[in-house]
Amino acid sequence: MAKPMKRVAPLWQSNEASIVVFVALVLTSWFLATHWFEVSPLLVPDPLSVFPRLAQLIVSMEWWDPLVVTASEVLSAFALSSVLGIALSFVLSRSVWWVKTFDPLLNGINAVPAILFFPLFALLFGLGPGSKIALGFTISFFPIVINTTSAFGRVQSIHLKAALCMGASKWQLLRFVLFPSAIPMILSGLRMGLTLAFLSVLGGETIASFNGLGHQIAESSQAMDSELMYAWILFVIAVSFTLNTLLSRLERLGGRGS
Amino acid sequence: MQSALKVCVLNPLDIAIEIKGVSHSFEGASGQSSPSSQELMALETTNLEIRRGELLSLIGPSGCGKSTLLNMMGGLLTPASGEVRVNGVQVSAPMPKTVSFVFQENALFPWNTILDNIVVALTFQCVPSSERLDLAHQALRAVGLSEFANYYPDQLSGGMRQRAALARALSLKTDIILMDEPFAALDEQTRMVLGEDLSTLLNQTGKTIVLVTHSLGEAVFLSDRIAVISARPGRVLEVIEVNEPHPRNPEFVTSLKFSELRNRLYELLHDEIRQTLSTQAMGTPTVGPHSSLASSRHG
Protein backbone atom coordinates (compact mmCIF):
# COMPACT_ATOMS: atom_id res chain seq x y z
CA MET A 1 0.00 0.00 0.00
CA ALA A 2 1.49 3.29 -1.06
CA LYS A 3 1.76 5.60 1.88
CA PRO A 4 0.94 9.24 1.27
CA MET A 5 4.03 11.34 0.72
CA LYS A 6 4.38 14.28 3.02
CA ARG A 7 6.91 16.33 1.10
CA VAL A 8 7.61 17.10 -2.54
CA ALA A 9 11.31 17.22 -3.40
CA PRO A 10 12.42 20.33 -5.28
CA LEU A 11 12.49 19.95 -9.05
CA TRP A 12 16.20 19.39 -9.42
CA GLN A 13 17.15 17.92 -6.11
CA SER A 14 17.72 14.20 -6.25
CA ASN A 15 18.82 13.29 -9.77
CA GLU A 16 20.60 16.50 -10.61
CA ALA A 17 24.17 15.28 -10.25
CA SER A 18 23.78 12.00 -12.10
CA ILE A 19 21.95 13.69 -14.98
CA VAL A 20 24.66 16.33 -15.37
CA VAL A 21 27.38 13.68 -15.41
CA PHE A 22 25.47 11.54 -17.91
CA VAL A 23 24.81 14.45 -20.29
CA ALA A 24 28.45 15.51 -20.05
CA LEU A 25 29.58 11.98 -20.92
CA VAL A 26 27.27 11.76 -23.92
CA LEU A 27 28.36 15.16 -25.25
CA THR A 28 32.03 14.31 -24.79
CA SER A 29 31.78 11.00 -26.60
CA TRP A 30 29.73 12.66 -29.34
CA PHE A 31 32.42 15.30 -29.77
CA LEU A 32 35.20 12.69 -29.72
CA ALA A 33 33.40 10.51 -32.24
CA THR A 34 33.23 13.30 -34.78
CA HIS A 35 36.63 14.95 -34.13
CA TRP A 36 38.94 12.06 -33.29
CA PHE A 37 37.41 9.00 -34.87
CA GLU A 38 36.00 10.75 -37.91
CA VAL A 39 32.68 8.95 -38.04
CA SER A 40 30.79 9.85 -41.19
CA PRO A 41 28.99 13.21 -40.67
CA LEU A 42 25.96 11.72 -42.34
CA LEU A 43 25.58 9.31 -39.42
CA VAL A 44 26.89 11.49 -36.62
CA PRO A 45 27.23 15.17 -37.50
CA ASP A 46 29.55 17.49 -35.60
CA PRO A 47 27.87 18.74 -32.41
CA LEU A 48 29.48 22.12 -33.04
CA SER A 49 27.30 22.44 -36.15
CA VAL A 50 24.22 20.67 -34.72
CA PHE A 51 23.80 23.08 -31.80
CA PRO A 52 23.77 26.21 -34.00
CA ARG A 53 21.11 24.48 -36.15
CA LEU A 54 19.12 23.75 -32.99
CA ALA A 55 19.40 27.39 -31.91
CA GLN A 56 18.34 28.46 -35.37
CA LEU A 57 15.39 26.08 -35.24
CA ILE A 58 14.28 27.37 -31.86
CA VAL A 59 14.59 31.03 -32.85
CA SER A 60 12.75 30.50 -36.13
CA MET A 61 9.71 29.10 -34.25
CA GLU A 62 9.44 26.43 -36.95
CA TRP A 63 8.88 23.94 -34.16
CA TRP A 64 5.62 25.50 -33.05
CA ASP A 65 3.38 24.05 -35.74
CA PRO A 66 4.69 20.44 -35.53
CA LEU A 67 4.64 20.63 -31.73
CA VAL A 68 0.98 21.68 -31.74
CA VAL A 69 0.12 18.86 -34.14
CA THR A 70 1.94 16.22 -32.12
CA ALA A 71 0.66 17.55 -28.79
CA SER A 72 -2.94 17.59 -29.98
CA GLU A 73 -2.61 14.02 -31.29
CA VAL A 74 -1.07 12.85 -28.01
CA LEU A 75 -3.63 14.62 -25.89
CA SER A 76 -6.56 13.34 -27.95
CA ALA A 77 -5.26 9.78 -27.74
CA PHE A 78 -4.57 10.14 -24.03
CA ALA A 79 -7.94 11.74 -23.28
CA LEU A 80 -9.72 8.90 -25.04
CA SER A 81 -7.70 6.14 -23.41
CA SER A 82 -7.80 7.58 -19.89
CA VAL A 83 -11.52 8.36 -19.86
CA LEU A 84 -12.56 5.09 -21.49
CA GLY A 85 -9.89 3.14 -19.59
CA ILE A 86 -10.89 4.38 -16.14
CA ALA A 87 -14.58 3.95 -16.97
CA LEU A 88 -14.01 0.38 -18.13
CA SER A 89 -11.89 -0.46 -15.06
CA PHE A 90 -14.51 0.98 -12.81
CA VAL A 91 -17.24 -1.12 -14.41
CA LEU A 92 -15.03 -4.24 -14.29
CA SER A 93 -14.19 -3.65 -10.63
CA ARG A 94 -17.87 -3.86 -9.70
CA SER A 95 -17.55 -7.62 -9.89
CA VAL A 96 -14.75 -9.96 -8.89
CA TRP A 97 -15.90 -12.34 -11.59
CA TRP A 98 -15.50 -9.75 -14.32
CA VAL A 99 -12.03 -8.85 -13.10
CA LYS A 100 -11.02 -12.52 -13.06
CA THR A 101 -12.41 -13.04 -16.54
CA PHE A 102 -11.14 -9.92 -18.24
CA ASP A 103 -7.80 -9.37 -16.53
CA PRO A 104 -5.96 -12.18 -18.37
CA LEU A 105 -7.62 -11.09 -21.59
CA LEU A 106 -6.55 -7.47 -21.15
CA ASN A 107 -3.02 -8.53 -20.25
CA GLY A 108 -2.95 -10.77 -23.31
CA ILE A 109 -4.10 -8.01 -25.64
CA ASN A 110 -1.61 -5.66 -24.05
CA ALA A 111 1.18 -8.08 -24.99
CA VAL A 112 0.31 -7.72 -28.69
CA PRO A 113 2.63 -5.10 -30.26
CA ALA A 114 -0.07 -2.67 -31.37
CA ILE A 115 2.29 -0.88 -33.74
CA LEU A 116 1.44 -3.78 -36.11
CA PHE A 117 -1.93 -2.17 -36.68
CA PHE A 118 -0.50 1.15 -37.83
CA PRO A 119 -0.76 0.33 -41.56
CA LEU A 120 -4.38 -0.62 -40.95
CA PHE A 121 -5.02 2.62 -39.05
CA ALA A 122 -3.38 4.54 -41.90
CA LEU A 123 -5.80 2.89 -44.31
CA LEU A 124 -8.78 3.51 -42.07
CA PHE A 125 -8.05 7.03 -40.85
CA GLY A 126 -5.64 8.40 -43.43
CA LEU A 127 -2.16 9.80 -42.97
CA GLY A 128 -3.37 12.77 -40.90
CA PRO A 129 -3.81 12.93 -37.13
CA GLY A 130 -6.54 10.23 -37.15
CA SER A 131 -4.20 7.29 -37.55
CA LYS A 132 -1.78 8.65 -34.89
CA ILE A 133 -4.60 9.13 -32.41
CA ALA A 134 -5.85 5.60 -33.10
CA LEU A 135 -2.37 4.17 -32.57
CA GLY A 136 -1.74 6.24 -29.43
CA PHE A 137 -5.09 5.19 -28.03
CA THR A 138 -4.57 1.49 -28.76
CA ILE A 139 -1.17 1.46 -27.10
CA SER A 140 -1.97 3.59 -24.03
CA PHE A 141 -5.44 2.20 -23.28
CA PHE A 142 -4.48 -1.22 -21.89
CA PRO A 143 -1.83 -0.16 -19.36
CA ILE A 144 -4.33 2.36 -17.99
CA VAL A 145 -7.08 -0.26 -17.68
CA ILE A 146 -4.77 -2.83 -16.14
CA ASN A 147 -3.32 -0.42 -13.58
CA THR A 148 -6.66 1.10 -12.63
CA THR A 149 -8.35 -2.28 -12.25
CA SER A 150 -5.59 -3.50 -10.02
CA ALA A 151 -5.69 -0.22 -8.06
CA PHE A 152 -9.38 -0.76 -7.30
CA GLY A 153 -8.67 -4.39 -6.49
CA ARG A 154 -6.08 -3.44 -3.90
CA VAL A 155 -8.42 -1.33 -1.81
CA GLN A 156 -8.15 -3.00 1.58
CA SER A 157 -11.28 -4.82 2.63
CA ILE A 158 -10.91 -3.55 6.21
CA HIS A 159 -11.33 0.03 4.93
CA LEU A 160 -14.49 -0.90 3.04
CA LYS A 161 -15.82 -2.80 6.04
CA ALA A 162 -15.09 0.11 8.37
CA ALA A 163 -16.79 2.57 6.01
CA LEU A 164 -19.88 0.36 5.68
CA CYS A 165 -20.10 0.00 9.45
CA MET A 166 -19.98 3.77 9.77
CA GLY A 167 -22.88 4.14 7.37
CA ALA A 168 -21.18 5.18 4.13
CA SER A 169 -23.48 5.35 1.12
CA LYS A 170 -22.36 3.91 -2.23
CA TRP A 171 -21.36 7.32 -3.49
CA GLN A 172 -19.47 8.08 -0.26
CA LEU A 173 -17.69 4.75 -0.49
CA LEU A 174 -16.47 5.77 -3.94
CA ARG A 175 -15.59 9.33 -3.03
CA PHE A 176 -14.00 8.76 0.39
CA VAL A 177 -12.60 5.23 0.24
CA LEU A 178 -12.21 3.71 -3.24
CA PHE A 179 -10.79 6.72 -5.07
CA PRO A 180 -8.41 8.05 -2.40
CA SER A 181 -7.12 4.53 -1.86
CA ALA A 182 -6.64 3.80 -5.56
CA ILE A 183 -5.47 7.21 -6.75
CA PRO A 184 -1.68 6.74 -6.45
CA MET A 185 -1.79 3.64 -8.61
CA ILE A 186 -4.30 5.13 -11.06
CA LEU A 187 -1.96 8.09 -11.48
CA SER A 188 1.03 5.91 -12.24
CA GLY A 189 -1.09 4.07 -14.82
CA LEU A 190 -2.08 7.39 -16.38
CA ARG A 191 1.50 8.53 -16.43
CA MET A 192 2.54 5.36 -18.18
CA GLY A 193 -0.36 5.83 -20.60
CA LEU A 194 0.62 9.39 -21.49
CA THR A 195 4.24 8.41 -22.03
CA LEU A 196 3.16 5.53 -24.28
CA ALA A 197 0.75 7.77 -26.20
CA PHE A 198 3.58 10.24 -26.82
CA LEU A 199 5.90 7.46 -27.90
CA SER A 200 3.45 5.84 -30.29
CA VAL A 201 2.28 9.11 -31.84
CA LEU A 202 5.92 10.04 -32.53
CA GLY A 203 6.53 6.59 -33.95
CA GLY A 204 3.48 6.80 -36.16
CA GLU A 205 4.56 10.22 -37.42
CA THR A 206 8.00 8.97 -38.43
CA ILE A 207 6.41 6.10 -40.38
CA ALA A 208 3.80 8.00 -42.38
CA SER A 209 2.42 11.48 -41.78
CA PHE A 210 1.97 15.01 -43.10
CA ASN A 211 3.08 16.93 -40.03
CA GLY A 212 4.27 16.68 -36.44
CA LEU A 213 7.60 16.34 -34.64
CA GLY A 214 8.14 12.77 -35.80
CA HIS A 215 7.42 13.87 -39.36
CA GLN A 216 10.14 16.55 -39.14
CA ILE A 217 12.71 13.99 -38.00
CA ALA A 218 11.79 11.57 -40.76
CA GLU A 219 11.72 14.34 -43.37
CA SER A 220 15.15 15.74 -42.50
CA SER A 221 16.49 12.21 -42.50
CA GLN A 222 15.12 11.58 -45.98
CA ALA A 223 16.62 14.91 -47.10
CA MET A 224 19.98 13.61 -45.76
CA ASP A 225 20.17 16.72 -43.59
CA SER A 226 21.63 14.96 -40.55
CA GLU A 227 22.37 18.18 -38.70
CA LEU A 228 18.74 19.22 -38.88
CA MET A 229 17.61 15.73 -37.95
CA TYR A 230 19.82 15.78 -34.86
CA ALA A 231 18.52 19.24 -34.00
CA TRP A 232 14.93 17.92 -34.15
CA ILE A 233 15.86 14.85 -32.10
CA LEU A 234 17.41 17.07 -29.43
CA PHE A 235 14.30 19.22 -29.48
CA VAL A 236 12.02 16.19 -28.99
CA ILE A 237 14.25 14.92 -26.16
CA ALA A 238 13.88 18.30 -24.46
CA VAL A 239 10.09 18.15 -24.91
CA SER A 240 9.79 14.64 -23.47
CA PHE A 241 12.12 15.46 -20.61
CA THR A 242 9.93 18.44 -19.70
CA LEU A 243 6.80 16.32 -20.00
CA ASN A 244 8.26 13.60 -17.79
CA THR A 245 9.38 16.04 -15.11
CA LEU A 246 5.97 17.67 -15.05
CA LEU A 247 4.23 14.33 -14.81
CA SER A 248 6.29 13.00 -11.94
CA ARG A 249 5.71 16.22 -10.02
CA LEU A 250 1.98 15.99 -10.66
CA GLU A 251 1.96 12.35 -9.66
CA ARG A 252 3.74 13.07 -6.42
CA LEU A 253 1.33 15.90 -5.65
CA GLY A 254 -1.66 13.66 -6.42
CA GLY A 255 -0.19 10.76 -4.48
CA ARG A 256 -0.26 12.79 -1.30
CA GLY A 257 -3.99 12.16 -1.10
CA SER A 258 -6.99 14.41 -1.22
CA MET B 1 -35.09 4.04 17.55
CA GLN B 2 -38.41 5.01 19.14
CA SER B 3 -39.88 1.56 18.99
CA ALA B 4 -36.61 0.07 20.10
CA LEU B 5 -36.63 2.21 23.23
CA LYS B 6 -40.16 1.12 24.06
CA VAL B 7 -39.16 -2.51 23.90
CA CYS B 8 -36.27 -1.79 26.21
CA VAL B 9 -38.49 -0.10 28.76
CA LEU B 10 -40.62 -3.22 28.77
CA ASN B 11 -37.59 -5.37 29.40
CA PRO B 12 -36.79 -5.43 33.12
CA LEU B 13 -33.17 -6.41 32.63
CA ASP B 14 -32.59 -3.71 30.04
CA ILE B 15 -30.91 -5.82 27.42
CA ALA B 16 -28.91 -4.06 24.71
CA ILE B 17 -28.01 -7.10 22.65
CA GLU B 18 -29.74 -10.43 22.74
CA ILE B 19 -28.34 -13.54 21.10
CA LYS B 20 -30.96 -16.26 20.88
CA GLY B 21 -30.20 -19.80 19.71
CA VAL B 22 -27.53 -18.62 17.29
CA SER B 23 -25.44 -21.22 15.52
CA HIS B 24 -23.19 -20.86 12.54
CA SER B 25 -21.04 -23.03 10.37
CA PHE B 26 -19.02 -21.76 7.52
CA GLU B 27 -19.98 -24.58 5.19
CA GLY B 28 -23.58 -24.75 6.28
CA ALA B 29 -23.96 -21.05 5.78
CA SER B 30 -23.54 -21.30 2.04
CA GLY B 31 -25.76 -24.32 1.40
CA GLN B 32 -25.92 -28.04 2.09
CA SER B 33 -24.11 -29.24 5.17
CA SER B 34 -22.42 -32.58 4.64
CA PRO B 35 -21.95 -35.07 7.50
CA SER B 36 -18.28 -34.06 7.78
CA SER B 37 -19.11 -30.40 8.24
CA GLN B 38 -18.93 -30.83 12.03
CA GLU B 39 -15.33 -29.56 11.97
CA LEU B 40 -16.31 -26.34 10.26
CA MET B 41 -19.07 -25.65 12.76
CA ALA B 42 -18.08 -22.26 14.10
CA LEU B 43 -20.73 -21.74 16.72
CA GLU B 44 -22.98 -24.19 18.45
CA THR B 45 -26.38 -22.97 19.62
CA THR B 46 -25.45 -19.93 21.66
CA ASN B 47 -27.49 -17.73 23.95
CA LEU B 48 -26.15 -14.55 25.46
CA GLU B 49 -27.58 -11.30 26.71
CA ILE B 50 -25.60 -8.10 26.91
CA ARG B 51 -26.93 -5.56 29.39
CA ARG B 52 -27.17 -1.90 28.63
CA GLY B 53 -24.11 0.03 29.76
CA GLU B 54 -21.96 -2.96 30.63
CA LEU B 55 -18.66 -4.06 29.21
CA LEU B 56 -18.78 -7.71 28.30
CA SER B 57 -15.68 -9.55 27.11
CA LEU B 58 -15.73 -12.57 24.87
CA ILE B 59 -12.72 -14.73 25.60
CA GLY B 60 -11.78 -18.10 24.19
CA PRO B 61 -9.21 -20.02 22.16
CA SER B 62 -8.32 -18.97 18.62
CA GLY B 63 -10.95 -19.76 16.06
CA CYS B 64 -13.64 -20.40 18.66
CA GLY B 65 -16.06 -18.11 16.94
CA LYS B 66 -15.87 -15.07 19.19
CA SER B 67 -15.17 -12.73 16.29
CA THR B 68 -17.94 -14.47 14.37
CA LEU B 69 -20.31 -13.67 17.21
CA LEU B 70 -19.13 -10.07 17.28
CA ASN B 71 -19.59 -9.71 13.52
CA MET B 72 -23.13 -11.00 13.91
CA MET B 73 -23.87 -8.38 16.55
CA GLY B 74 -22.56 -5.75 14.16
CA GLY B 75 -24.60 -7.04 11.24
CA LEU B 76 -21.54 -7.99 9.21
CA LEU B 77 -22.57 -11.64 9.22
CA THR B 78 -25.99 -13.30 9.29
CA PRO B 79 -26.22 -16.37 11.55
CA ALA B 80 -27.15 -19.66 9.86
CA SER B 81 -29.86 -20.08 12.48
CA GLY B 82 -31.14 -18.20 15.49
CA GLU B 83 -31.35 -14.46 15.83
CA VAL B 84 -29.44 -11.48 17.14
CA ARG B 85 -31.42 -8.51 18.40
CA VAL B 86 -29.99 -5.08 19.12
CA ASN B 87 -32.30 -2.86 21.14
CA GLY B 88 -35.02 -5.41 20.42
CA VAL B 89 -34.63 -5.16 16.65
CA GLN B 90 -33.38 -8.13 14.68
CA VAL B 91 -30.00 -7.43 13.09
CA SER B 92 -29.75 -7.90 9.35
CA ALA B 93 -27.21 -5.27 8.25
CA PRO B 94 -24.73 -2.87 9.89
CA MET B 95 -26.49 -0.27 12.04
CA PRO B 96 -24.25 2.78 11.88
CA LYS B 97 -26.51 4.84 14.14
CA THR B 98 -26.51 2.26 16.93
CA VAL B 99 -23.37 0.17 16.67
CA SER B 100 -19.81 1.20 15.92
CA PHE B 101 -16.75 -0.98 15.52
CA VAL B 102 -13.13 -0.84 16.60
CA PHE B 103 -11.19 -3.39 14.58
CA GLN B 104 -8.03 -5.26 15.46
CA GLU B 105 -6.27 -4.07 12.36
CA ASN B 106 -5.59 -0.52 11.59
CA ALA B 107 -8.86 0.47 9.99
CA LEU B 108 -8.06 4.18 9.87
CA PHE B 109 -7.85 5.56 6.34
CA PRO B 110 -4.12 6.10 5.66
CA TRP B 111 -4.82 8.87 3.12
CA ASN B 112 -6.51 11.06 5.73
CA THR B 113 -5.12 12.73 8.84
CA ILE B 114 -6.63 11.35 12.01
CA LEU B 115 -8.77 14.48 12.26
CA ASP B 116 -10.06 13.93 8.71
CA ASN B 117 -10.63 10.28 9.51
CA ILE B 118 -13.15 11.36 12.12
CA VAL B 119 -14.61 14.08 9.89
CA VAL B 120 -15.16 11.51 7.14
CA ALA B 121 -16.81 9.14 9.63
CA LEU B 122 -19.14 11.95 10.69
CA THR B 123 -19.87 12.65 7.02
CA PHE B 124 -20.96 9.03 6.64
CA GLN B 125 -23.25 9.54 9.64
CA CYS B 126 -24.87 12.56 7.94
CA VAL B 127 -23.74 14.93 10.70
CA PRO B 128 -24.20 18.54 9.44
CA SER B 129 -20.92 19.80 8.00
CA SER B 130 -20.81 22.77 10.39
CA GLU B 131 -20.57 20.46 13.41
CA ARG B 132 -18.13 17.87 12.07
CA LEU B 133 -14.89 19.66 12.86
CA ASP B 134 -15.88 20.54 16.42
CA LEU B 135 -17.04 17.03 17.14
CA ALA B 136 -13.88 15.56 15.64
CA HIS B 137 -11.65 17.78 17.80
CA GLN B 138 -13.74 16.88 20.81
CA ALA B 139 -13.33 13.16 20.14
CA LEU B 140 -9.55 13.52 19.75
CA ARG B 141 -9.38 15.50 22.98
CA ALA B 142 -11.23 12.70 24.79
CA VAL B 143 -8.47 10.22 23.90
CA GLY B 144 -5.64 12.74 24.41
CA LEU B 145 -4.62 13.12 20.77
CA SER B 146 -5.42 16.81 20.27
CA GLU B 147 -1.88 17.76 19.29
CA PHE B 148 -1.76 14.99 16.69
CA ALA B 149 -4.93 15.97 14.84
CA ASN B 150 -3.07 16.70 11.61
CA TYR B 151 -0.87 13.61 11.64
CA TYR B 152 -1.41 10.77 9.22
CA PRO B 153 -1.97 7.34 10.79
CA ASP B 154 1.38 6.02 9.62
CA GLN B 155 3.13 8.84 11.47
CA LEU B 156 1.73 7.62 14.78
CA SER B 157 2.61 4.66 16.99
CA GLY B 158 0.37 1.60 17.09
CA GLY B 159 -1.06 2.63 20.44
CA MET B 160 -1.88 6.11 19.21
CA ARG B 161 -3.49 4.70 16.09
CA GLN B 162 -5.79 2.49 18.13
CA ARG B 163 -6.62 5.47 20.33
CA ALA B 164 -7.50 7.41 17.18
CA ALA B 165 -9.64 4.48 16.03
CA LEU B 166 -11.36 4.55 19.40
CA ALA B 167 -11.90 8.31 19.06
CA ARG B 168 -13.49 7.69 15.67
CA ALA B 169 -15.82 5.09 17.14
CA LEU B 170 -16.70 7.37 20.07
CA SER B 171 -17.40 10.32 17.78
CA LEU B 172 -20.16 8.34 16.08
CA LYS B 173 -22.11 8.57 19.34
CA THR B 174 -23.55 5.09 19.08
CA ASP B 175 -24.93 3.36 22.19
CA ILE B 176 -22.96 0.23 21.44
CA ILE B 177 -19.30 -0.23 20.55
CA LEU B 178 -17.98 -3.58 19.37
CA MET B 179 -14.25 -4.09 19.74
CA ASP B 180 -12.48 -6.93 17.96
CA GLU B 181 -9.19 -7.40 19.79
CA PRO B 182 -8.46 -3.69 19.59
CA PHE B 183 -5.14 -4.01 21.44
CA ALA B 184 -3.93 -7.28 19.94
CA ALA B 185 -1.22 -5.68 17.84
CA LEU B 186 0.19 -3.63 20.73
CA ASP B 187 2.90 -4.44 23.23
CA GLU B 188 2.06 -5.40 26.81
CA GLN B 189 2.86 -2.03 28.41
CA THR B 190 0.88 -0.04 25.86
CA ARG B 191 -2.05 -2.39 26.28
CA MET B 192 -2.05 -1.85 30.05
CA VAL B 193 -2.03 1.91 29.80
CA LEU B 194 -4.64 1.91 27.04
CA GLY B 195 -6.76 -0.43 29.14
CA GLU B 196 -6.71 2.02 32.04
CA ASP B 197 -7.60 4.89 29.70
CA LEU B 198 -10.41 2.86 28.24
CA SER B 199 -11.80 2.03 31.67
CA THR B 200 -11.84 5.73 32.62
CA LEU B 201 -13.29 6.80 29.29
CA LEU B 202 -16.05 4.22 29.28
CA ASN B 203 -17.01 5.05 32.81
CA GLN B 204 -17.79 8.57 31.59
CA THR B 205 -19.69 7.61 28.48
CA GLY B 206 -21.88 4.81 29.81
CA LYS B 207 -21.78 2.92 26.54
CA THR B 208 -22.46 -0.75 26.02
CA ILE B 209 -19.26 -2.45 24.93
CA VAL B 210 -18.54 -5.93 23.68
CA LEU B 211 -14.83 -6.68 23.61
CA VAL B 212 -13.23 -9.69 21.99
CA THR B 213 -9.88 -10.43 23.60
CA HIS B 214 -7.25 -13.11 24.00
CA SER B 215 -5.81 -11.61 27.14
CA LEU B 216 -7.08 -12.95 30.46
CA GLY B 217 -5.80 -9.93 32.36
CA GLU B 218 -7.38 -7.50 29.94
CA ALA B 219 -10.71 -9.28 30.22
CA VAL B 220 -10.70 -9.17 34.03
CA PHE B 221 -9.43 -5.60 34.20
CA LEU B 222 -11.96 -4.10 31.80
CA SER B 223 -15.10 -6.21 31.99
CA ASP B 224 -18.25 -6.16 34.02
CA ARG B 225 -18.87 -9.69 32.80
CA ILE B 226 -16.75 -12.18 30.90
CA ALA B 227 -18.27 -14.76 28.58
CA VAL B 228 -15.92 -17.72 28.22
CA ILE B 229 -16.30 -19.43 24.85
CA SER B 230 -15.30 -23.06 24.28
CA ALA B 231 -13.09 -24.41 21.53
CA ARG B 232 -14.74 -24.83 18.16
CA PRO B 233 -17.63 -25.33 17.78
CA GLY B 234 -17.94 -22.37 20.11
CA ARG B 235 -20.49 -22.15 22.89
CA VAL B 236 -20.68 -20.09 26.06
CA LEU B 237 -19.06 -22.16 28.80
CA GLU B 238 -19.70 -19.72 31.59
CA VAL B 239 -20.36 -16.05 32.19
CA ILE B 240 -18.25 -14.64 35.00
CA GLU B 241 -19.26 -11.53 36.93
CA VAL B 242 -16.39 -9.23 37.89
CA ASN B 243 -18.29 -6.95 40.32
CA GLU B 244 -15.77 -4.15 40.57
CA PRO B 245 -16.71 -0.49 40.08
CA HIS B 246 -15.33 1.54 37.18
CA PRO B 247 -13.01 3.32 36.62
CA ARG B 248 -10.53 0.71 37.67
CA ASN B 249 -7.01 1.65 38.68
CA PRO B 250 -3.74 -0.30 38.59
CA GLU B 251 -4.24 -1.44 42.20
CA PHE B 252 -7.04 -3.70 41.01
CA VAL B 253 -4.51 -5.66 39.00
CA THR B 254 -2.55 -6.53 42.15
CA SER B 255 -5.62 -7.41 44.24
CA LEU B 256 -6.45 -10.96 45.30
CA LYS B 257 -9.80 -10.73 43.55
CA PHE B 258 -8.08 -10.00 40.25
CA SER B 259 -5.82 -13.02 40.47
CA GLU B 260 -8.68 -15.28 41.59
CA LEU B 261 -10.76 -14.24 38.60
CA ARG B 262 -7.80 -14.56 36.29
CA ASN B 263 -7.06 -18.05 37.62
CA ARG B 264 -10.66 -19.05 37.22
CA LEU B 265 -10.53 -17.95 33.57
CA TYR B 266 -7.29 -19.81 33.05
CA GLU B 267 -8.81 -22.99 34.50
CA LEU B 268 -11.80 -22.72 32.20
CA LEU B 269 -9.76 -21.98 29.12
CA HIS B 270 -6.80 -24.28 29.66
CA ASP B 271 -8.47 -27.48 28.46
CA GLU B 272 -10.13 -25.67 25.59
CA ILE B 273 -6.86 -24.29 24.35
CA ARG B 274 -5.21 -27.72 24.62
CA GLN B 275 -8.06 -29.16 22.59
CA THR B 276 -7.69 -26.49 19.91
CA LEU B 277 -3.96 -27.11 19.68
CA SER B 278 -4.38 -30.87 19.33
CA THR B 279 -6.99 -30.55 16.57
CA GLN B 280 -4.74 -28.11 14.76
CA ALA B 281 -1.86 -30.58 15.05
CA MET B 282 -4.06 -33.19 13.40
CA GLY B 283 -4.21 -30.96 10.38
CA THR B 284 -7.74 -29.65 10.62
CA PRO B 285 -7.89 -26.62 8.37
CA THR B 286 -8.33 -23.45 10.34
CA VAL B 287 -11.51 -22.00 8.99
CA GLY B 288 -12.89 -19.02 10.71
CA PRO B 289 -12.99 -15.28 10.93
CA HIS B 290 -9.28 -15.17 11.63
CA SER B 291 -8.30 -16.69 8.33
CA SER B 292 -10.36 -14.10 6.49
CA LEU B 293 -8.86 -11.32 8.59
CA ALA B 294 -5.37 -12.55 7.88
CA SER B 295 -5.95 -12.78 4.15
CA SER B 296 -7.46 -9.33 3.98
CA ARG B 297 -4.47 -7.94 5.80
CA HIS B 298 -2.04 -9.35 3.30
CA GLY B 299 -4.26 -8.84 0.32
Side-chain angles (χ1 to χ4, degrees), chain B residues 97-131:
Chain B
K97 295 278 176 199
T98 324
V99 177
S100 56
F101 260 100
V102 177
F103 295 99
Q104 169 184 358
E105 307 157 74
N106 181 14
L108 294 169
F109 302 138
W111 52 85
N112 286 140
T113 61
I114 57 171
L115 184 72
D116 286 340
N117 260 285
I118 301 175
V119 170
V120 166
L122 294 169
T123 312
F124 293 162
Q125 292 271 26
C126 305
V127 172
S129 57
S130 55
E131 296 169 25

Side-chain angles (χ1 to χ4, degrees), chain A residues 44-81:
Chain A
V44 185
D46 185 355
L48 295 181
S49 48
V50 168
F51 280 99
R53 289 295 293 271
L54 177 63
Q56 206 182 324
L57 174 70
I58 290 170
V59 171
S60 70
M61 291 298 283
E62 266 169 39
W63 49 272
W64 177 250
D65 200 36
L67 180 68
V68 169
V69 170
T70 302
S72 62
E73 287 165 352
V74 170
L75 289 180
S76 312
F78 177 67
L80 273 175
S81 59

